[in-house]
């Protein structure tokens, strides 16, 4: 079963604009991770944020985590056509023996138009 | 290092048959996880193996099984295939399976059941 919801389900923007995707989850977590998937291919790990962190940056990516609201957001700044992909959040709950068990959200389909 | 490889990449089977999918993790990685991706259910965790032991299992029927060999390569088997088993099957590997490290995904095996 999926952990939670992501919104929007689809997002269409122009190159150079920022893209924000949101993710909500249901249970306690140890960390939350964001992945990108191009056209039904394998997933690429983007960033991991631990439950005791509130914000993390990696290049053009900015992730926030609010454990009180059980939500996270992914911001991609100055988007490029190459950013067109599906983006998934995934949570890890090691308290229940989750270790490497990723619970994924439904994903956001991002289309960046030149 | 070579990435995670999965074979075969595409597979067509008929209902009632069985199938075996293979995953070779990144050299040195000891944890291998399997996921099923379908348009309806999204990305769902199947199971995780670490040092030849199944450490976690998702909510799938017993027709889905797996194993890991001493060289960390893993196979998953689906017996008595059903139409609903049509999906992209992804495997991921990580170094120690500690839950707070990057998981590297393979390109997936796309299974079509007719």
């Amino acid at each position: 079963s999926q952990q939670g919801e992501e919104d929007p389900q689809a997002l269409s923007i122009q190159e150079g604009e920022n893209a924000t995707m949101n993710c909500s989850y249901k249970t306690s977590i140890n960390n939350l991770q964001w992945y990108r998937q191009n056209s039904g291919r394998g997933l690429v790990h983007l960033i991991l944020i631990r439950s005791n962190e509130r914000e993390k940056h990696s290049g053009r990516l900015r992730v926030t985590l609010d454990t009180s609201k059980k939500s996270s957001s992914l911001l991609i700044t100055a988007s490029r056509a190459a950013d067109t992909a599906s983006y998934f959040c995934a949570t890890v709950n090691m308290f229940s023996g989750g270790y490497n068990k990723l619970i994924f959200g439904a994903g956001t389909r991002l289309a960046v138009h030149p | 290092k070579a990435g995670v490889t999965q074979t075969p990449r595409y597979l067509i089977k008929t209902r009632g048959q069985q199938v075996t999918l293979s995953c070779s993790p990144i050299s040195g990685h000891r944890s291998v996880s399997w996921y099923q991706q379908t348009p309806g259910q999204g990305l769902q965790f199947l199971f995780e193996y670490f040092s030849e032991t199944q450490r976690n299992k998702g909510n799938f029927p017993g027709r889905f099984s797996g194993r890991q060999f001493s060289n960390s390569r893993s196979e998953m088997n689906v017996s008595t295939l059903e139409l609903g088993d049509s999906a992209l099957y992804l495997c991921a590997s990580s170094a120690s399976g500690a839950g707070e490290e990057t998981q590297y995904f393979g390109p997936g095996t796309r299974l079509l059941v007719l």
Side-chain angles (χ1 to χ4, degrees):
Chain A
S1 60
Q2 291 176 324
Q3 170 71 287
E5 302 292 324
E6 286 182 63
D7 81 272
Q9 290 186 342
L11 183 60
S12 182
I13 59 174
Q14 297 297 125
E15 265 192 331
E17 293 181 339
N18 295 341
T20 299
M21 289 159 265
N22 302 296
C23 163
S24 63
Y25 57 91
K26 299 174 182 173
T27 66
S28 298
I29 63 170
N30 293 89
N31 64 71
L32 185 144
Q33 304 176 31
W34 285 89
Y35 287 82
R36 184 186 74 219
Q37 184 179 40
N38 290 84
S39 300
R41 297 182 182 179
L43 296 160
V44 175
H45 183 268
L46 295 176
I47 197 164
L48 179 153
I49 185 166
R50 292 179 174 79
S51 59
N52 62 353
E53 298 175 313
R54 292 296 167 257
E55 188 171 312
K56 206 160 182 180
H57 297 255
S58 177
R60 295 184 295 113
L61 305 180
R62 172 178 168 254
V63 169
T64 61
L65 178 64
D66 186 336
T67 52
S68 67
K69 295 181 180 178
K70 290 185 168 59
S71 67
S72 173
S73 68
L74 170 68
L75 168 67
I76 303 174
T77 60
S79 62
R80 307 164 182 168
D83 294 328
T84 295
S86 291
Y87 291 81
F88 296 90
C89 68
T91 55
V92 172
N93 180 359
M94 290 190 285
F95 299 116
S96 61
Y99 298 104
N100 269 356
K101 179 179 179 180
L102 294 170
I103 306 297
F104 284 90
T108 293
R109 293 189 311 279
L110 173 66
V112 182
H113 303 283
Chain B
K1 283 185 179 178
V4 178
T5 58
Q6 291 186 246
T7 57
R9 293 292 311 278
Y10 303 93
L11 207 48
I12 299 175
K13 292 285 187 179
T14 55
R15 278 181 299 174
Q17 288 187 311
Q18 75 164 21
V19 67
T20 299
L21 311 181
S22 180
C23 172
S24 293
I26 291 173
S27 178
H29 284 192
R30 295 167 63 190
S31 169
V32 174
S33 301
W34 288 88
Y35 294 84
Q36 182 197 63
Q37 185 176 27
T38 60
Q41 299 298 315
L43 281 153
Q44 294 188 284
F45 173 80
L46 279 157
F47 27 64
E48 185 221 356
Y49 287 88
F50 180 77
S51 293
E52 301 180 67
T53 300
Q54 186 182 86
R55 192 163 59 171
N56 249 312
K57 191 177 190 308
N59 296 323
F60 280 82
R63 300 185 297 106
F64 292 81
S65 63
R67 59 178 175 169
Q68 186 179 35
F69 302 96
S70 58
N71 61 358
S72 292
R73 189 178 70 85
S74 177
E75 288 181 348
M76 67 162 281
N77 183 276
V78 188
S79 62
T80 320
L81 284 166
E82 300 177 359
L83 295 179
D85 297 333
S86 294
L88 180 66
Y89 290 89
L90 296 162
C91 81
S93 77
S94 65
S96 63
E100 297 243 307
E101 57 190 6
T102 298
Q103 291 195 48
Y104 297 87
F105 280 80
T109 293
R110 189 166 294 280
L111 171 65
L112 176 62
V113 182
L114 302 175

